[in-house]
Amino acid sequence: VRTGNKPGLPIQFNENDLELHLLEGTTSCALCILVDMSGSMMRYGRFLAAKKVAMALTALVRQRFPQDTVDIVGFYSTSAVVPEQRLPLLMPKPVSTHAYEIEVHIPRAQAGRTHQHFTNLQLGMQMGRRILNARPAEQKQMFIITDGQPTAHTDGDILHLLYPPRRETALATLREALSCSRAGIRVASFALVEDYWDMEWVEFIDQLTRLCRGVGFYCTGDNLAGCVMESYLSGKKSKTFIA
């Protein structure tokens, strides 16, 4: 109905006059996998399982989610970025001492001169955080694959290797976990537990998980792949557009 050049009221329309466009997509994700390279990872085939999972997840991202990125960091007494092409030949650090109690304080620049088989999760997370901060992805995830409590940390330019594990190492690692959380990084921890005596250290993973509001998995090497893949896929939030 029109009155002059202006439409009149009420306007008549039905369902044939409406058109709905629904588009679904997946947000881009930057993933950093932290692989424990300490000496204990050689036991029970843990390191082989972790390496296989890292390779499989990298292949999955390359094939199905090309908009995502994957970086790999190995952590031991220090930490290092692991190029993708070197991953198949990667090995944990050999145990260089079986002393009951170890306390080493050394300048970080001289870290290569001392034991390499300790667990420095603090430096691993710090390196992972810096890598993810440089990625422009909408979502950022950090996966930690480890089999024990951290036994190394840095304070300024000094590297501390402490066994049995000390409270100061745990606190330094938890502070870095909090920095990751504040940077908007979702942290998932995969604790490899084959022995009952290993259960004593899972409290640390519980603390880390609660502090950074992440997720924690307790599994053996043979079911690590399912836990990692499920966590990655479920963590990729979808987005919907209605036009």
Side-chain angles (χ1 to χ4, degrees), residues 121-122 125-126 129 142 144 170-183 185 187 204 207-209 211-213:
L121 179 55
Q122 177 209 23
M125 297 186 75
Q126 184 182 94
R129 174 168 57 87
M142 181 183 293
I144 302 169
L171 291 177
T173 307
L174 292 174
R175 281 194 293 268
E176 179 55 41
L178 185 59
S179 295
C180 291
S181 178
R182 288 172 174 171
I185 299 171
V187 178
F204 172 78
Q207 291 177 333
L208 188 149
T209 300
L211 183 65
C212 62
R213 298 181 180 180

Side-chain angles (χ1 to χ4, degrees), residues 1 3 25 28 35 45 57-58 73 99 129 136 140 144 148-149 164 166 176 184 193 209-210 224-225 243:
V1 179
T3 303
S28 62
V35 180
L57 187 53
T58 301
V73 170
R129 174 168 57 87
K140 299 180 180 183
I144 302 169
Q149 198 167 349
R166 306 281 182 84
E176 179 55 41
V193 182
T209 300
R210 291 195 301 269
L224 174 63

Side-chain angles (χ1 to χ4, degrees), residues 7-24:
L9 295 176
I11 299 174
Q12 301 295 323
F13 62 90
N14 56 41
E15 65 273 11
N16 296 324
D17 298 314
L18 302 176
E19 190 171 308
L20 175 65
H21 295 275
L22 182 62
L23 305 176
E24 293 186 357

Side-chain angles (χ1 to χ4, degrees), residues 36-153:
D36 190 342
M37 293 176 60
S38 64
S40 60
M41 284 290 286
M42 183 67 76
R43 303 173 68 225
Y44 300 106
R46 292 167 176 166
F47 193 78
L48 178 60
K51 188 163 61 171
K52 285 182 176 179
V53 168
M55 293 171 61
L57 187 53
T58 301
L60 174 70
V61 172
R62 296 282 184 265
Q63 295 171 13
R64 290 187 53 189
F65 306 101
Q67 76 277 12
D68 292 357
T69 60
V70 182
D71 294 281
I72 301 170
V73 170
F75 62 97
Y76 38 103
S77 294
T78 57
S79 64
V81 174
V82 178
E84 186 177 336
Q85 65 272 17
R86 285 188 50 208
L87 187 56
L89 300 178
L90 200 65
M91 293 294 291
K93 302 297 182 179
V95 177
S96 54
T97 179
H98 294 279
Y100 177 75
E101 186 172 352
I102 302 170
E103 183 170 341
V104 175
H105 310 279
I106 188 172
R108 186 173 171 183
Q110 301 176 20
R113 301 180 184 179
T114 188
H115 310 295
Q116 297 295 298
H117 65 273
F118 283 68
T119 306
N120 198 331
L121 179 55
Q122 177 209 23
L123 276 187
M125 297 186 75
Q126 184 182 94
M127 182 170 288
R129 174 168 57 87
R130 291 173 177 172
I131 291 172
L132 291 175
N133 282 342
R135 297 294 189 186
E138 299 168 84
Q139 296 180 47
K140 299 180 180 183
Q141 299 189 53
M142 181 183 293
F143 286 1
I144 302 169
I145 303 175
T146 184
D147 73 335
Q149 198 167 349
T151 52
H153 72 280

